Amino acid sequence: MAHPPVAADRTAAYGSHPDQVIDFYLPGDGRTGAPLVVLLHGGAWRDRYDRQHVSPMAGFLARRGFAVASVEYRRGGDPSRQDGGEVAGRWPETFDDVAAALDALPELAAREVPEADLRRTVVTGHSAGGHLALWAAARHVLPEGSPWRLPAPPPLRGVVALAPIADLAVAVELDVCEGAVSQLLGEGAEFEERCAHVDPALLLPTGVATVIVQGTTDLDVPRAVSEAFVDAAAKAGETVGLTLLPGVGHFPLIDPSADACAVVAEELEQLAW
């Protein structure tokens, strides 16, 4: 969070709302056929955290030879609240936006980053963005009738989720991000109904190669959340890779100056190449 923002090479809109934009970063080595990393930022789905805080990571990945598409989406912020508090996410707009961005991405990327090989697309995201990355890779297994359901698996090489809020029920039990999950999805019957459409731990198996990178000393999204998702995947007959980084907290995963971020880049390279 201490790094200055890194300006994108190009920005394109995928909708009419100001938050419906994608920042594109060109591969630093100028190569053609570069893998495309779709980056979804975290921040507990809250409005005060936007894509700027992951722009140093986007720049870092571009210097490593990736083309990068950093997706913005509508987040929490409820002016009707009398207590001045900030809610997490918007239902259903947060998911409308991520689905729309991924659906528009092939056309936009072909135009904005012709250096990218779209056959080598990997989705990644941090924290709440990790949840959205896992969800984006699971849209073909959403319940029938879901407005976000895809008829076939998305054309991805895989997904690398970084300290993701990957099991929403466990995240509620642990009060991850100060009640963010309940703010996003509600409680009781409403929570159960919405979870069926957006909880990665319930949307399994996907058949999409999936890796979780998790710090063992993460206090923001504890490792128990990632481990619960990996266990759920195993019960569904799917193997999910889990890379545990000893002594690493929440933010080094997206800090270009940290060794943990280099590990993330290696995981992306393994799936993309």
Side-chain angles (χ1 to χ4, degrees), residues 16 31-32 53 55 65 80 91 97 102 113 148 155 169 181 186 190 215-216 225 235 239:
S16 59
R31 77 173 69 183
T32 58
H53 82 270
S55 65
S80 68
W91 182 275
D97 287 359
L102 270 292
V113 282
W148 308 303
V181 175
E190 184 177 57
T216 62
V225 180
K235 291 175 182 176
T239 300

Side-chain angles (χ1 to χ4, degrees), residues 2-3 7 10 21 27 55 72 76 86 110 122 127 145 148 165 190 194 200 219-220 226-227 230 244 257 259 266:
H3 294 284
R10 295 164 189 164
V21 294
S55 65
E72 192 57 275
E86 186 181 18
V122 180
S127 195
W148 308 303
I165 306 177
E190 184 177 57
R194 291 178 173 180
L219 301 180
D220 294 274
S226 288
E227 291 173 338
V230 172
L244 293 174
S257 65
D259 292 341
E266 291 169 2

Side-chain angles (χ1 to χ4, degrees), residues 36-147:
L36 177 66
V37 174
V38 182
L39 177 59
L40 292 156
H41 72 82
W45 311 283
R46 292 187 170 114
D47 193 57
R48 60 185 146 153
Y49 302 106
D50 63 15
R51 68 194 186 283
Q52 293 303 309
H53 82 270
V54 293
S55 65
M57 182 185 186
F60 167 76
L61 293 175
R63 293 192 299 274
R64 295 277 298 234
F66 294 100
V68 181
S70 182
V71 176
E72 192 57 275
Y73 51 90
R74 283 174 284 183
R75 306 168 306 288
D78 186 353
S80 68
R81 284 181 59 142
Q82 299 301 310
D83 60 5
E86 186 181 18
V87 297
R90 298 189 192 183
W91 182 275
E93 290 89 349
T94 296
F95 299 94
D96 288 343
D97 287 359
V98 172
L102 270 292
D103 290 346
L105 190 61
E107 180 178 350
L108 293 178
R111 184 185 75 204
E112 302 294 339
V113 282
E115 299 87 347
D117 182 350
L118 303 186
R119 298 169 300 178
R120 300 161 69 194
T121 299
V122 180
V123 176
T124 190
H126 177 241
S127 195
H131 159 260
L132 294 172
L134 293 170
W135 178 80
R139 288 171 57 205
H140 58 295
V141 297
L142 291 178
E144 294 284 350
S146 169

Side-chain angles (χ1 to χ4, degrees), residues 119-205:
R119 298 169 300 178
R120 300 161 69 194
T121 299
V122 180
V123 176
T124 190
H126 177 241
S127 195
H131 159 260
L132 294 172
L134 293 170
W135 178 80
R139 288 171 57 205
H140 58 295
V141 297
L142 291 178
E144 294 284 350
S146 169
W148 308 303
R149 181 181 168 95
L150 292 176
L156 302 173
R157 283 286 178 93
V159 56
V160 179
L162 316 177
I165 306 177
D167 186 309
L168 299 184
V170 172
V172 168
E173 292 174 8
L174 298 177
D175 194 29
V176 167
C177 298
E178 300 175 331
V181 175
S182 296
Q183 291 171 18
L184 175 66
L185 300 182
E187 299 180 354
E190 184 177 57
F191 175 84
E192 297 295 333
E193 180 182 354
R194 291 178 173 180
C195 264
H197 293 264
V198 300
D199 188 347
L202 301 179
L203 301 173
L204 293 163

